[in-house]
Amino acid sequence: MLMRGRLFRSDDMRIRILSIISVGMTIGFLLGLGFVALLRSVIDGETPQLEVAFTLMVVMMGGGLIIYVVKTVR
């Protein structure tokens, strides 16, 4: 049966894409927050230990999201 006018093949695919987009937006917001905090601590002349740890944690979360997307696409 040919399905015309459907962007996604199934509801499962739609849910997966929407969840990837929402998690990606959240990680992007947290990454921006980490960089702003890192920049602010450098401007204030303080040691940015906590800010670096937070930013690296968010980068690792983003890497996990990228791995998930690559596995999903295959």
Side-chain angles (χ1 to χ4, degrees):
M1 178 180 202
L2 185 62
M3 296 169 44
R4 293 186 178 177
R6 299 278 313 238
L7 183 59
F8 304 111
R9 284 180 257 162
S10 67
D11 288 336
D12 183 44
M13 183 69 113
R14 181 182 309 145
I15 292 170
R16 188 174 294 157
I17 289 173
L18 289 176
S19 65
I20 288 170
I21 289 171
S22 63
V23 170
M25 289 173 58
T26 303
I27 289 175
F29 174 75
L30 291 174
L31 191 61
L33 191 71
F35 280 127
V36 167
L38 185 63
L39 181 64
R40 186 68 188 170
S41 69
V42 169
I43 289 173
D44 289 344
E46 299 174 0
T47 57
Q49 296 170 351
L50 183 62
E51 291 84 359
V52 169
F54 176 77
T55 306
L56 288 177
M57 181 190 70
V58 174
V59 167
M60 288 190 314
M61 288 169 45
L65 179 65
I66 291 171
I67 290 171
Y68 174 74
V69 169
V70 168
K71 285 184 178 180
T72 302
V73 170
R74 278 202 247 168

